Amino acid sequence: MTPFFFGEGQRRLFGVYDPAEGLNAKAPRAVVFCAPWGPEYTFSHGVFRRLALNLAAGGYHVLRFDYFGAGDSAGESTEADLEGWRTDIDSAIDELKSMAGALRVSLIGARIGAALAAEAAVRRVDIDRLVLWDPVVVGRSYLDELELKHAAWVNERTRYLPLPPADTPNRLCHPLPARIEQQMAAIDLAGLLTRLKQKILLVLSESRGTDAAALGTIANVIPNRLTLERVRDRPPWREDSPEFGGPMPVNALGRITAWMG
């Protein structure tokens, strides 16, 4: 495991590189992780580290990284937006290709990161495979869900004292500027999936409402390229308290590792 910084100018990104174990007679295989937003990334951080180690042991060069304005990368959280994160994903892909000597890269994305990974796979010709884990399908629905969870979070913590005023709107104690909220609202994964040419693994540990119905329809439209896996694990980004890490979803990790091969 090698932590390092990459990127240009003031947009320095923090990454962790896990080299492939053993010698592979074939062309180098590589995978970039596209993380969720905010608290979902915080809770699931350990899960993605475990998955990265599994894939490295299976012969993949793996790069995990923090978006600009998130984690240990440069920038403030109030400066983050999805357009910049799309650029960060491109930078991470190019960086890993250079480090590993790979011609193509697979992407593993979760939640918002899954939607961003799908967008990258549409616009680039060097994406091999795509894993989408509980992806955000309808951006507006995702924001409505965040709003409900945030209201419950605030209610629990203001029984006796009000929260101090904040300069920037936030959800679950993570800044959510109007700019990034508008960009999230525009997400439409259903429209993207039918444009993808790669093989896709869709991992669902949640089956609710509009998103589940849309994904089920898509799975029937492109069955030759899309593998749908429903797992019984509790999603690692569904933790009730920031004091605890997300659960280890061993079933999902096993199926992703096996599908990547």
Side-chain angles (χ1 to χ4, degrees):
M1 182 180 75
T2 303
F4 69 107
F5 285 92
F6 65 98
E8 298 181 354
Q10 296 182 339
R11 200 174 186 90
R12 300 294 286 170
L13 305 177
F14 176 75
V16 176
Y17 170 59
D18 289 291
E21 297 180 12
L23 296 177
N24 191 339
K26 300 179 181 179
R29 300 187 300 173
V31 59
V32 169
F33 282 49
C34 301
W37 167 83
E40 294 180 335
Y41 175 48
T42 301
F43 298 145
S44 58
H45 184 272
V47 171
F48 295 123
R49 179 177 182 273
R50 180 69 265 169
L51 180 56
L53 294 175
N54 289 353
L55 292 173
Y60 277 91
H61 298 273
V62 183
L63 176 59
R64 293 173 289 134
F65 74 100
D66 294 336
Y67 304 118
F68 182 80
D72 292 312
S73 289
E76 300 296 329
S77 54
T78 53
E79 300 177 282
D81 67 1
L82 296 192
E83 191 57 42
W85 289 2
R86 294 179 180 103
T87 299
D88 295 341
I89 290 173
D90 286 334
S91 296
I93 293 169
D94 294 339
E95 184 71 20
L96 184 58
K97 286 174 63 178
S98 177
M99 295 177 71
L103 298 177
R104 297 173 64 81
V105 171
S106 296
L107 300 178
I108 297 178
R111 307 298 286 147
I112 285 289
L116 296 178
E119 291 177 358
V122 167
R123 68 175 178 267
R124 297 184 64 120
V125 298
D126 56 355
I127 304 303
D128 188 17
R129 292 186 172 196
L130 194 61
V131 177
L132 308 178
W133 193 351
D134 284 340
V136 171
V137 180
V138 181
R140 186 69 260 171
S141 298
Y142 176 66
L143 290 169
D144 290 343
E145 179 185 333
L146 278 182
E147 185 64 39
L148 289 174
K149 296 177 75 172
H150 180 69
W153 183 88
V154 171
N155 184 63
E156 177 66 25
R157 287 158 177 79
T158 56
R159 293 180 179 179
Y160 307 106
L161 293 173
L163 290 177
D167 295 333
T168 303
N170 70 85
R171 297 294 180 272
L172 303 174
C173 210
H174 283 70
L176 188 66
R179 179 180 64 258
I180 195 171
E181 183 174 2
Q182 292 169 357
Q183 293 168 340
M184 286 181 175
I187 289 175
D188 176 19
L189 183 62
L192 283 175
L193 287 181
T194 56
R195 297 167 56 191
L196 292 170
K197 305 301 182 184
Q198 297 84 358
K199 289 187 176 180
I200 307 165
L201 174 63
L202 179 59
V203 180
L204 297 183
S205 48
E206 299 181 329
S207 298
R208 299 177 304 181
T210 304
D211 284 7
L215 290 173
T217 299
I218 294 167
N220 291 329
V221 171
I222 53 174
N224 293 332
R225 290 184 287 109
L226 188 146
T227 300
L228 176 60
E229 289 279 4
R230 299 184 184 273
V231 295
R232 293 184 175 274
D233 293 321
R234 182 183 178 188
W237 30 84
R238 293 299 182 199
E239 192 59 62
D240 296 328
S241 171
E243 286 82 14
F244 303 98
M248 192 61 66
V250 293
N251 292 327
L253 293 181
R255 294 187 190 185
I256 292 171
T257 303
W259 185 82
M260 292 292 290

